[in-house]
Amino acid sequence: MTTILRLPAERGQLTLPALLLRNAEDHGDRPALSWRAGGDATQWTTLTWQEVRRRTAVLATGYSALGVERGEQVLMMMGNRPEHWLSDLALTHLGAVPVSVYGTAAPEQIAHIARHSRARFAIVEGSRELERWEPLLAEDTVRLEKLVVVEAAEAGPHRAYGSLMATGARLHRPDVFEKAWRESRADDLLTVVYTSGTTGDPKAVPITHRSVVLNALALDRVVELPDHVEHICYLPFAHIAERMLGIYLPVFRASHVHLCSDPAAVAATARALHPAQFFGVPRVWEKLAASLTAGLAGLPRHRLAAVDAARATAREHVAFRERGEQPPAALEAAYQQARTAVLDPLLALAGFDRLVWAASASAPMPPDVVCFWAGFGIVIMDAWGLTETVGVCTCNSPSAFRIGSVGRPLDGLELKIAEDGEILVRGQTVFTGYLNADGTSDDVRDQDGWFATGDIGRIDEDGYLWLTDRKKEMIITSTGKNVAPSPVENTLKEHPLIGQALVHGDGRSYLVALLVLDPEQAAAWAAARGIAADPSALAGHPAVREEVARAVEAANARLNSTEQIKRYRLLPEEWGPETGELTPSLKLRRRVIREKYGELIDALYAQDAADRTGPGSAVSGDS
């Protein structure tokens, strides 16, 4: 168990405000929250746990004066900034229910959430958000009454966050604040998470104080971390992963959150902080690996040979650990020498030389990426879970892991596999059902308490869960064959040039793919070969196209005939949340991509009439 911190109540009765008070009393001088100050990207502003609780109290008073009442949902659309984090805690202390909305949400999604939540108040960052929220104030079907705007210069007629703080400071009464949070109970709603989804309206998942605390306790039994460990917080707070990692677990563990408002600055933040723990969705680990690989490519041949030898030693060391065996003394000594002399100096360049816990979730991790990091002695502890299970449901741990699996269930949770391969889960942190607009919910579990997750997988003889894909994303070809797209896409992405891939073939006789170059790897690959093309034009360069063709051919050689890619198109622009192809947690929005590139996909199939190439080979179209 990681934490040795005092628990201020029985485990089933703990609330987040009680834990925050514990932090202020027992660890008041410890750093709690840091963020970049103003335009100086090198300076951090930091609040201690005492200061966090003091600001939370003042801000809670301000929101109470605004009219926020116990039990009502308050919507928030801000980046990873202190106003978001502190508002979340302040609203919780009032007994209100803070609800974060994705910054990339479309107006119709925002309108649905506002209507469904029946929220009267929303806190937004600035003018960019106001454009989508202001029209809702005049909409009859939405209860929204007031907007609070963080950027004072952009607030216009709306309430500025700064004035809310000033009101709170003027009216704050400690006795009223303390009485308010003590009325909260473990079964009260702590938040509602609206699933981002790829189709249909977002669903509302209710999450209580109890379920969060029980999940935190279960995680603490398998995750070994230094006391008061730092966390780089960069995923959206609208996602259950960052809610747990960036708010709830830090309060539970009295750890130190570093807010990273720009996801593109995550790598630079890691280099500056050298964190002991780091969580990244697969795409983040892929990009970090690509960046480190590009750096290695510039090393002299004799140094590369030393790196290769050290990485081979590290992988052998990891293999013993994976089998649960103690590495032989000679291997242990060789590994420590490799770390000290070769690997740690390289990891220091990425800020990962102090890393003791590396984790991932959200989507299947490409095996080659896991292997890459294992070559530095870093085992990415893959986990699996859902918003409906309060985040993590299964995970690997340093003392028990299987590379490629997503680990074993946390205490208090059970798994089983249905006849069609779907993963079912039940236990203490599994929700009962989605919230309806009137505040009720319908139990979505079966009569024995099992919740159908929508994921496909298998459980091995040692109890480790192995994911295949999402049930609704399985491709069924016109010949009746089932194909899981993620393993095929990951096989294609094993070549460093291919950063993103989408496989299509539902109702068709064979598969086609859309491929996207990895920008960093493509630039390094081109530079090493004296290709001076503009990065945006590399997808059309003959040498790049030839290399990608070889990559697809190599991938096809490892896939069965049904999984092989017959045709593909290499695209010049990287996919992202801003352009709609990825969710905020960097998962593929398959429906969006298929609609956006529908004509191109149809053309790949239409081309077959003119070019009768066998299904085992791949022919690209124009970039």
Side-chain angles (χ1 to χ4, degrees):
M1 183 170 178
T2 299
T3 187
I4 56 171
L5 306 184
R6 175 176 64 90
L7 297 181
E10 291 296 322
R11 298 182 179 197
Q13 302 304 318
L14 282 166
T15 64
L16 208 68
L19 289 168
L20 183 60
L21 175 60
R22 183 274 317 267
N23 291 351
E25 291 177 341
D26 297 359
H27 313 285
D29 293 333
R30 301 285 312 186
L33 184 70
S34 296
W35 65 94
R36 300 288 192 186
D40 190 345
T42 64
Q43 296 297 315
W44 292 90
T45 296
T46 297
L47 298 179
T48 65
W49 282 109
Q50 278 185 344
E51 291 167 333
V52 162
R53 192 167 191 272
R54 193 175 302 123
R55 288 207 188 186
T56 296
V58 169
L59 192 52
T61 303
Y63 281 120
S64 179
L66 186 68
V68 175
E69 298 176 355
R70 174 173 295 277
E72 70 174 320
Q73 295 185 37
V74 178
L75 306 180
M76 299 188 292
M77 182 181 276
M78 294 173 275
N80 293 35
R81 54 189 297 163
E83 296 87 353
H84 198 157
W85 201 86
L86 292 167
S87 290
D88 207 288
L89 291 180
L91 293 166
T92 296
H93 278 70
L94 289 178
V97 184
V99 178
S100 294
V101 182
Y102 286 109
T104 54
E108 59 270 20
Q109 291 174 315
I110 297 171
H112 168 77
I113 293 172
R115 191 176 300 114
H116 187 275
S117 66
R118 305 174 72 188
R120 296 186 299 134
F121 306 98
I123 312 155
V124 301
E125 188 159 329
S127 57
R128 181 174 176 271
E129 291 74 28
L130 279 173
E131 290 178 2
R132 287 171 284 170
W133 286 87
E134 279 184 319
L136 298 178
L137 293 170
E139 190 169 316
D140 293 338
T141 61
V142 175
R143 293 185 65 196
L144 200 61
E145 298 173 5
K146 295 179 183 178
L147 298 177
V148 176
V149 184
V150 173
E151 297 293 347
E154 301 173 11
H158 307 291
R159 186 70 179 273
Y161 175 89
S163 72
L164 201 76
M165 284 288 291
T167 299
R170 187 176 71 254
L171 299 179
H172 178 60
R173 288 178 50 193
D175 57 327
V176 174
F177 171 73
E178 299 295 343
K179 180 178 183 297
W181 76 258
R182 291 182 188 279
E183 293 178 9
S184 296
R185 297 292 177 263
D187 284 330
D188 290 346
L189 280 183
L190 177 56
T191 189
V192 173
V193 175
Y194 281 85
T195 58
S196 60
T198 55
T199 59
D201 290 327
K203 295 179 180 179
V205 179
I207 293 175
T208 65
H209 291 261
R210 174 176 284 121
S211 60
V212 162
V213 171
L214 290 177
N215 188 259
L217 286 163
L219 277 170
D220 239 30
R221 295 187 185 102
V222 296
V223 178
E224 299 175 5
L225 292 170
D227 291 340
H228 311 291
V229 69
E230 58 280 290
H231 168 67
I232 298 175
C233 172
Y234 66 96
L235 291 173
F237 285 126
H239 194 284
I240 186 59
E242 198 62 271
R243 285 213 145 258
M244 286 299 299
L245 291 167
I247 303 176
Y248 304 143
L249 282 171
V251 172
F252 176 76
R253 292 172 172 156
S255 50
H256 185 185
V257 176
H258 287 80
L259 296 174
C260 182
S261 59
D262 180 7
V266 170
T269 303
R271 287 194 297 271
L273 296 178
H274 296 260
Q277 71 162 351
F278 184 81
F279 175 87
V281 295
R283 184 59 183 149
V284 169
W285 284 111
E286 289 173 14
K287 292 182 78 67
L288 290 170
S291 178
L292 194 51
T293 299
L296 291 176
L299 294 177
R301 185 173 299 178
H302 71 280
R303 287 199 62 191
L304 279 175
V307 171
D308 289 343
R311 296 187 66 205
T313 299
R315 282 191 290 268
E316 186 179 358
H317 190 270
V318 166
F320 272 90
R321 292 169 54 199
E322 184 178 15
R323 296 193 297 268
E325 302 173 6
Q326 185 70 28
L331 175 60
E332 184 66 38
Y335 172 65
Q336 294 303 329
Q337 172 64 21
R339 285 293 302 254
T340 302
V342 180
L343 301 179
D344 281 351
L346 292 173
L347 287 173
L349 299 176
F352 286 161
D353 50 316
R354 293 181 54 243
L355 205 59
V356 297
W357 178 261
S360 184
S362 180
M365 176 69 76
D368 65 308
V369 177
V370 178
C371 183
F372 174 88
W373 290 106
F376 287 90
I378 294 176
V379 181
I380 299 175
M381 299 296 170
D382 221 346
W384 169 79
L386 310 161
T387 306
E388 293 86 346
T389 63
V390 196
V392 175
C393 182
T394 69
C395 72
N396 287 285
S397 71
S399 60
F401 64 90
R402 294 288 185 276
I403 292 177
S405 82
V406 291
R408 296 190 285 203
L410 299 180
D411 287 352
L413 293 171
E414 300 175 81
L415 299 180
K416 74 174 182 178
I417 306 299
E419 290 185 5
D420 63 355
E422 186 171 6
I423 305 165
L424 309 181
V425 59
R426 71 177 176 186
Q428 61 183 11
T429 59
V430 180
F431 86 144
T432 60
Y434 300 100
L435 277 182
N436 298 317
D438 62 2
T440 63
S441 64
D442 302 315
D443 199 331
V444 296
R445 302 169 299 178
D446 69 14
Q447 60 184 5
D448 296 318
W450 292 100
F451 172 65
T453 66
D455 283 330
I456 302 293
R458 63 179 177 86
I459 301 171
D460 68 18
E461 62 276 8
D462 295 318
Y464 289 88
L465 178 65
W466 300 75
L467 294 183
T468 303
D469 220 317
R470 289 290 293 169
K471 183 177 180 179
K472 64 183 180 182
E473 292 175 354
M474 292 291 285
I475 294 171
I476 303 177
T477 68
S478 60
T479 58
K481 301 289 187 179
N482 286 4
V483 179
S486 289
V488 178
E489 290 158 355
N490 284 339
T491 301
L492 290 164
K493 292 192 297 180
E494 286 187 15
H495 192 288
L497 278 183
I498 301 175
Q500 295 168 311
L502 177 129
V503 171
H504 178 79
D506 210 40
R508 303 282 194 166
S509 59
Y510 56 84
L511 304 187
V512 299
L514 300 178
L515 308 178
V516 181
L517 289 179
D518 183 287
E520 293 86 0
Q521 286 281 35
W525 187 91
R529 289 156 181 79
I531 299 173
D534 184 88
S536 62
L538 282 176
H541 194 281
V544 174
R545 290 163 62 95
E546 289 172 11
E547 183 66 17
V548 170
R550 285 191 287 270
V552 176
E553 185 177 355
N556 277 342
R558 298 174 51 200
L559 299 168
N560 66 44
S561 58
T562 304
E563 296 171 327
Q564 290 173 351
I565 303 303
K566 179 171 181 180
R567 298 187 181 281
Y568 65 91
R569 181 65 62 90
L570 186 60
L571 305 176
E573 299 294 332
E574 189 176 26
W575 295 331
E578 297 79 11
T579 48
E581 300 93 351
L582 303 184
T583 69
S585 58
L586 306 184
K587 292 184 284 190
L588 291 177
R589 277 198 165 110
R590 297 180 182 276
R591 179 183 60 81
V592 171
I593 296 173
R594 285 194 293 264
E595 289 178 357
K596 186 172 183 177
Y597 297 97
E599 292 184 4
L600 192 155
I601 292 172
D602 289 342
L604 289 175
Y605 285 105
Q607 188 178 344
D608 189 52
D611 187 345
R612 300 293 181 179
T613 305
S617 62
V619 178
S620 72
D622 296 332
S623 355

